[in-house]
Every structure is written in structure tokens, then in C-alpha cells.
Amino acid sequence: MVKITDVARRAGVSPSTVSYALSGKRPISDATRRRVQAAARELGYRPHAGGRPPAGRRSKVLALAVPLRPGVHVPVVTEFAVSVVTAARAHDHDVLLLTRGEGEEGLRHVADAGLADAAVVMDVQLQDPRLPLLRSLPLPSVLIGVPAEPDGLTCVDLDFRAAGELCVDHLARLGHRVVALVGSPPEVYVRRTAFARRLVEGFTSAADRHRLVSTVHPCGSGRDAARAIAERLLREQPALTGVVVHNEPLLDPLIDAFERLGLRVPGDLSLTAVCPAPVAGSARVPVTSVTVPSAELGTRAVHLLVRKLSGAPVPQTTLLPPRLTERASTAARVLA
Amino acid sequence: MVKITDVARRAGVSPSTVSYALSGKRPISDATRRRVQAAARELGYRPHAGGRPPAGRRSKVLALAVPLRPGVHVPVVTEFAVSVVTAARAHDHDVLLLTRGEGEEGLRHVADAGLADAAVVMDVQLQDPRLPLLRSLPLPSVLIGVPAEPDGLTCVDLDFRAAGELCVDHLARLGHRVVALVGSPPEVYVRRTAFARRLVEGFTSAADRHRLVSTVHPCGSGRDAARAIAERLLREQPALTGVVVHNEPLLDPLIDAFERLGLRVPGDLSLTAVCPAPVAGSARVPVTSVTVPSAELGTRAVHLLVRKLSGAPVPQTTLLPPRLTERASTAARVLA
DNA sequence: TTCACCCGTCGAAGCGCTTCGACATCCTTG
DNA sequence: CAAGGATGTCGAAGCGCTTCGACGGGTGAA
């Protein structure tokens, strides 16, 4: 292993001069700098992380805190991870996958041991136990997902409010006048995720703007819940022709339930969803959807992190604009 | 950040005693050790990586050198990565994804900067440019894939020879007497991968053992190549009833070509493949196959690495036994 | 009772690097 | 020609930790 003293000896200067010549933190004469650089190159010198004083120069490593509970979400998590890694590479950083502990433990470990310069934190919940830690740690971080109280943090997420609006806009443009939102299970709105509530806001406000008749229905999962909600919707709103679904596992059962009740999709009923693209594409009827842009979120998170590291100011919350992809589940309303 | 001196002060001992008490590298009285441990726990002490002398204690990080060229193989690579990460977690290690440079650069960087204790190297080729480096670096490593000259390295791979045999055994057991291997493109056998050649060996020797008539045909990809090879096989070996395919992209076109020639799979022709499970399962006809067990390979690699780190001897080359999964493409030969 | 030895602990050195303060030069200026 | 300021370089300290060598006190044996 070639160290700074080797370079110094070969260049005929002191180690500190080498350090300055390479870092540019102090003015060094052109001749000396060139000599040092040549020596470093010839010897294949590469600074060893062990030598850094703890708070000193960066290790060029980004930590990625991803809850990799076996079996859960693996494809989606993966998509994020790949995009983070790719983006990190573009910024000349490596990525340290955090797998120990359930999150707090791992983050503290990275910060204390100085293993990474910064962290990307995935799967953020409304009241995430990691938040106080992130606020107090000297480790810059970016969250994917917006918690209840984002003060003092940096967050990226899809703009779920706009996503809700976009679905309604789409249905309204197709001529639908009575719409419903079939949402996530009630408990989601209470305790877990902020985005669910924002989606509802967007849905409602867009419906009002278009002067549509609209209702919102949190809904559990499973075939029975699907049947129940479908029947109820038809009973309470016989004129219903547009449905927005924000509940991945319910997608297929719901389409099924509607068809059993004699409503074809999209013939009698148009349906849009907010979900990952693969889910929408592989449903019984490919569903027009607003995609959760995992890849772009990852990229964006890394960008923000790099800016933070360079000391540049970053916005507290970045919301990505949603994009709607038309598939086979929506059509213009047939006028009676 | 709480450091070793803080713990020492609180426990009323010297920093070195703390170090010994926690590492167990020297005998420390029970009372002192308990006091130190209590102090460390109360203060939330965690050693900082920066303090380690370069060759000293481990950082508990495993590097994963994965050629993440965008778009290439992502799902397969991912499966490996996930299994490596999961296994690493089981051994209380984090995983550093190497993304810089094309491989040599990244490995050298990790070794020099002391970022990881060891490395898992994926996508190893017959003449891999990283091999000399791996031999000379002070960084223990395990390769996934066996190169031409594995001396001085540690490798894990599927036992492709046995995989070839297994396919033939299966066909023989079903009563097939004339078999053919449709392999990878010729250049693969020449320059790239060792496993292709080993598969051929296994195929041939098993065929001989069962006294089957057998032929081997390297083959390019694409619909035309498939048609050509299918016609040629039937012309040269009209009695052919068993085919082994080791060429993923050719799978579907080949089945197609055979059926156009009037041969049903598996009615007239039984077909087995060596490929990842998803490819086999989603082919036109689900194909009986020997799976490349990515997950197990990753796990095994980490196991070996951990053993190496602990100083235990490890076998140079570990070949995993193949397992054959029956699907819809093989059937007993119908006796004329 | 004395000597030898071992156990448990400590002090100090050292890892490779950065960075602060100091010190030569050399070039401006007055 | 002297004083002052740049400019470029060096020595030394220090980061948090490990580890070597040493030392003191207790124990057991003679």
C-alpha cells in the first residue's frame, strides 16, 4: 500500500505539501503540484480512509437505509435501490446497503462509525421512529416519503395531491360526472402514511373544481371487501361511471366485482389507479394509472443529498409531478 | 459522539483497558469488564471506524462488485444482490455496492481506502481482467463463477457439468434414445464463460453412459437461427426426441420452430433447459429446467467469505449441485 | 518469609491523514 | 535599500483507536 509519505519522498516534498497539492486547500506552486501529481500517479497513490480525521474529508459513500424484510416489496424496493445506486455512481459515490437492525440501529451505526457521508432513507412513515434520530445525527439525509412533521428534514415524494387531481381531471375530460375514490384501509389514513390523505385532498378538490359528484370510501382488501364496496357504490350512486382506486391489492377483485354486477370496464365504468406501473399493467384489465415513479425518486434523492453535502441549500420537501398513463380501463362516457 | 475515553473515564479505567475489555484480547477481571460494559452501554458507545489502524479491526462491511451496466440483466443481478445482502445481514455485515469504474478500479479503491473487509465478485469471466488484481490485493474475495485459472482464488458456481448430466439423465429416464444439445453461440465457448464448456462435458458423458445417440450444436440467437437448427436436427437425426437447450433467448423461437415443423412439445419432442427459473417458467411451453440458483450462490459466497475472514480454510472451488424442475416440456417417449 | 510468576491494568506509540501555525523566500513598495 | 506583504513549504499536533511493553500487586511454592 502506497502512502502519502511515499509520494512525498518521491516528489521531494513533505507529506503535508502532498496533501495540500492534491486537495488544493492551500496555494502550491505549479511546479511542485505537478511533481506531486506525477509522483502520485506513478505510484498509484490513493488516500486511505483510515487516515482521515473523523470529521474530515468524505469517504464518498452513501448509505441506503432500506427495510429489507424478507419477501416484502422486493421488486419495488429493488427498483428504488437500483436508481439510487445508478445516481450515486453518476456522482462518483458508492452505496452502502444498510441491513442491520430495523433502521434506527443501522443509521446510528453508520453515523458513529463514519462509514458513510450521508444517507437515503426509504419507506418513511408518518410517525417514523427514525426521525428524531435523523434530526440529531450529524449525518445528512434525504427521506423518500414525507412524514407528518418534515421540519428540519429533506424529503422527496410523489405529489399525491396532484396525483389525485390528475385522475379526476382525466375522468372529467372523458365526460364522467359522478366519481368515487376507493382508498386504502381506514387504518392507513389514521396512522401510517401521509400520502394517502393527500391523495384524498387532491381527489376532492379536483372533483369540486369540475363540479362532479364525488364520494370517498376507505376500503379494506380482499374479495369480500371488493364485492361489498362495489354493491354499495352502485346502490348509493347509480349514476357512477368513474372510479379512482388507491389500493393495489383491491384492484383485481374490484374489477371482478363490478363485472359480476354487470358493469363492464371500461364500457360502463372507467377506472384509474394510483400504483406502481407493473401492478397497473398486469391487472385483469390493464388499468389507466398514475405511476409512483420509484426510479426518479431515487435519482432525485441522491441529487439532493449531493447538494446537501456540498453545502448548497436544498428545499425541505420536493414533490414530483405525477404522470398519467392511459391503458385499457378508461373510456369516454357513453351519453345516455 | 461518545469516544473510548468517555467510557474509560466513566468506568474509572484507562482507554486501553476499555479496548481490551470490549474486545476480549487480553484477560480483564470480571468486575472491570462489567463496569466497562455498563459504561459503554449507558453512554451508547460505538467505536468509530476512523480510529482503527488501517490493518486493524474489521469494518464489518462486505463489498459487492456487480457490473451494473444499465439495463443489463437487472432482475438476475438483483436476485444475487438481495441474497448477498440477506446473507451478509445474517453475519452482521453491511454491504457496499461497488459502482465505480468497470471493476478493477472499484476493487482497488475499496482495498486501498479500506472501505470493506472483503469482496464478492460477480459475473466472472474466463479471462477476467480483475483476476490478477484479486490475487494480489490484501482483500479476501469470493467469485461467483469459475474462471479459466482459479488457482489462488475462491469460487462458487452451479455445477454445470452435473447440470448437463442431469438433463440427459432425465431424458434417458423418460426413454429418449437420441438427444441433442443446442448450446450458446460459438463465441461463448471460445472466449467468455467456463460454464458453457462444462455443460457440454456433462451432457456428452451422461449421454455416453446411457448409450444414447447424442450431438452438440452451438447456436446463435434469433428466429432464423432457431429455424435453421431445428431443420438441421430433424434432417440429420430423424429419430431425435430429446433436446437440451442452453441458450435462453433461443428457447421460445426454438419451440416455435419445432412446432412449425410439425413436432409438438412435449408430444413428439421433449425439451429441457438450463436457465434461470423465470425464463423457463414463462416460455411458450413451461420448460423443464435446471435452475441457476442465484440466491443460493449469493448466500454461499458470503458464507465462504466470512469463513475466510475468520481465518478458516475454504475450498478453492465450490460447485452447487443442480436441481431439475419438471414442467410441461418433457414427457415419456411414445414407443413406435 | 522470600522469590518467582502471572494476572490485570496502564502508558505510550503508532496508524495515515489533515490542518494549524510558523518560517523562509521573494517581490513589492516607500 | 529597508520594511512589509505575499507566497509556498514544512514541522508538529491531533483524530480515535489498537496494541506492545511494562509495571504493580497478589498468589503459590519453596
Side-chain angles (χ1 to χ4, degrees):
Chain A
M1 128 135 264
V2 33
K3 34 197 168 181
I4 202 170
T5 49
D6 300 329
V7 179
R9 199 172 324 116
R10 179 175 251 251
V13 297
S14 76
S16 54
T17 301
V18 173
S19 179
Y20 287 126
L22 295 178
S23 73
K25 297 214 168 172
R26 281 215 184 163
I28 293 289
S29 72
D30 242 40
T32 305
R33 180 173 328 108
R34 259 197 288 277
R35 213 147 19 90
V36 169
Q37 285 169 340
R41 201 174 337 104
E42 287 158 23
L43 263 41
Y45 169 71
R46 206 175 304 256
H48 188 287
R52 281 171 321 152
R57 190 126 213 84
R58 311 258 117 102
S59 64
K60 296 241 179 194
V61 172
L62 260 34
L64 177 59
V66 27
L68 200 65
R69 320 177 230 275
V72 175
H73 281 317
V74 169
V76 175
V77 160
T78 289
E79 201 176 337
F80 272 105
V82 168
S83 72
V84 166
V85 168
T86 308
R89 165 189 222 167
H91 290 281
D92 193 31
H93 281 250
D94 287 316
V95 173
L96 182 66
L97 248 31
L98 293 193
T99 66
R100 327 188 179 196
E102 280 314 297
E104 290 179 85
E105 179 60 15
L107 284 169
R108 176 161 266 134
H109 171 248
V110 165
D112 285 351
L115 292 178
D117 299 336
V120 175
V121 178
M122 286 181 48
D123 197 33
V124 173
Q125 309 198 346
L126 215 47
Q127 307 289 347
D128 202 296
R130 297 169 294 184
L131 300 184
L133 187 65
L134 288 171
R135 268 186 266 257
S136 68
L137 240 39
L139 185 79
S141 58
V142 168
L143 318 194
I144 295 183
V146 181
E149 190 45 83
D151 282 3
L153 301 168
T154 307
C155 314
V156 202
D157 207 348
L158 173 66
D159 186 342
F160 278 91
R161 191 175 207 289
E165 296 183 8
L166 195 53
C167 289
V168 174
D169 289 348
H170 180 67
L171 292 175
R173 198 174 312 118
L174 290 172
H176 300 280
R177 312 301 306 159
V178 181
V179 299
L181 170 65
V182 176
S184 305
E187 57 268 30
V188 168
Y189 293 89
V190 179
R191 69 146 206 273
R192 211 177 150 261
T193 34
F195 63 78
R197 254 189 266 193
R198 291 205 210 93
L199 183 84
V200 172
E201 288 170 23
F203 172 86
T204 307
S205 91
D208 290 352
R209 179 157 35 82
H210 290 290
R211 304 187 196 290
L212 309 187
V213 178
S214 77
T215 52
V216 174
H217 307 263
C219 182
S221 302
R223 214 146 275 284
D224 294 341
R227 174 109 32 114
I229 192 75
E231 284 171 1
R232 182 164 152 224
L233 283 172
L234 294 194
R235 178 158 25 91
E236 297 184 0
Q237 307 186 63
L240 179 74
T241 61
V243 175
V244 176
V245 182
H246 184 212
N247 184 330
E248 289 97 347
L250 201 68
L251 213 43
D252 265 336
L254 192 61
I255 296 176
D256 214 48
F258 279 130
E259 299 204 330
R260 272 165 205 266
L261 292 171
L263 293 176
R264 283 158 306 133
V265 173
D268 303 307
L269 203 65
S270 281
L271 199 139
T272 80
V274 177
C275 64
V279 174
S282 65
R284 270 175 102 277
V285 176
V287 173
T288 295
S289 73
V290 168
T291 301
V292 179
S294 1
E296 200 185 340
L297 284 172
T299 307
R300 192 60 74 96
V302 171
H303 266 73
L304 286 168
L305 217 40
V306 170
R307 293 202 58 195
K308 267 182 121 166
L309 281 175
S310 75
V314 297
Q316 179 184 91
T317 300
T318 305
L319 294 180
L320 262 45
R323 251 190 290 284
L324 185 136
T325 304
E326 284 198 57
R327 297 199 181 78
S329 69
T330 48
R333 180 171 70 121
V334 179
L335 296 175
Chain B
M1 128 134 261
V2 33
K3 35 196 168 182
I4 202 170
T5 49
D6 300 328
V7 179
R9 199 172 322 115
R10 179 175 252 253
V13 297
S14 76
S16 53
T17 301
V18 173
S19 179
Y20 288 126
L22 295 179
S23 73
K25 297 214 166 173
R26 280 212 186 168
I28 293 289
S29 72
D30 242 39
T32 305
R33 179 173 328 108
R34 259 197 287 277
R35 215 151 13 94
V36 168
Q37 285 170 340
R41 199 171 342 105
E42 287 159 25
L43 264 42
Y45 169 72
R46 204 176 304 258
H48 189 286
R52 279 172 321 151
R57 189 122 212 89
R58 311 258 117 101
S59 63
K60 296 241 177 194
V61 172
L62 260 33
L64 177 60
V66 26
L68 200 66
R69 320 177 229 275
V72 175
H73 281 316
V74 169
V76 176
V77 160
T78 287
E79 201 176 336
F80 272 106
V82 168
S83 73
V84 167
V85 168
T86 308
R89 163 189 224 169
H91 290 281
D92 194 32
H93 280 249
D94 286 316
V95 173
L96 181 66
L97 249 30
L98 294 192
T99 66
R100 326 189 179 194
E102 280 313 298
E104 289 179 86
E105 178 62 15
L107 284 168
R108 175 161 266 134
H109 171 248
V110 165
D112 286 351
L115 292 178
D117 298 336
V120 175
V121 178
M122 285 181 48
D123 197 32
V124 173
Q125 308 197 346
L126 215 49
Q127 307 289 347
D128 202 294
R130 297 169 294 183
L131 300 184
L133 187 64
L134 287 172
R135 267 187 266 258
S136 69
L137 239 40
L139 184 79
S141 57
V142 168
L143 318 194
I144 295 183
V146 181
E149 190 45 83
D151 282 3
L153 301 168
T154 307
C155 314
V156 201
D157 207 348
L158 173 65
D159 186 342
F160 277 92
R161 190 173 207 289
E165 295 184 9
L166 195 53
C167 289
V168 174
D169 289 347
H170 179 67
L171 292 175
R173 196 174 314 118
L174 291 172
H176 300 280
R177 312 302 306 161
V178 181
V179 298
L181 170 65
V182 176
S184 305
E187 57 269 29
V188 167
Y189 293 87
V190 179
R191 69 146 205 273
R192 212 176 150 266
T193 37
F195 62 79
R197 255 189 264 192
R198 289 204 213 93
L199 184 83
V200 171
E201 287 170 24
F203 172 85
T204 308
S205 90
D208 290 352
R209 178 157 37 81
H210 290 289
R211 305 187 194 289
L212 308 187
V213 178
S214 77
T215 53
V216 173
H217 307 262
C219 182
S221 301
R223 215 146 275 284
D224 294 341
R227 174 109 32 116
I229 193 74
E231 285 172 359
R232 185 165 149 224
L233 284 173
L234 294 195
R235 178 157 25 88
E236 298 183 0
Q237 306 186 65
L240 180 74
T241 60
V243 176
V244 176
V245 183
H246 184 211
N247 184 329
E248 288 96 349
L250 201 68
L251 212 44
D252 265 336
L254 192 61
I255 295 176
D256 214 48
F258 280 129
E259 299 203 330
R260 272 165 206 266
L261 292 171
L263 293 176
R264 285 158 306 132
V265 174
D268 302 306
L269 205 64
S270 280
L271 200 139
T272 80
V274 177
C275 65
V279 175
S282 65
R284 269 175 102 275
V285 177
V287 173
T288 295
S289 73
V290 169
T291 302
V292 179
S294 0
E296 200 187 340
L297 284 171
T299 307
R300 192 61 74 97
V302 171
H303 265 74
L304 285 167
L305 217 39
V306 170
R307 294 203 57 195
K308 266 183 123 166
L309 281 174
S310 75
V314 297
Q316 178 183 89
T317 300
T318 304
L319 294 180
L320 262 44
R323 250 190 291 283
L324 185 135
T325 304
E326 285 199 57
R327 295 199 182 79
S329 69
T330 49
R333 181 171 68 119
V334 178
L335 295 176

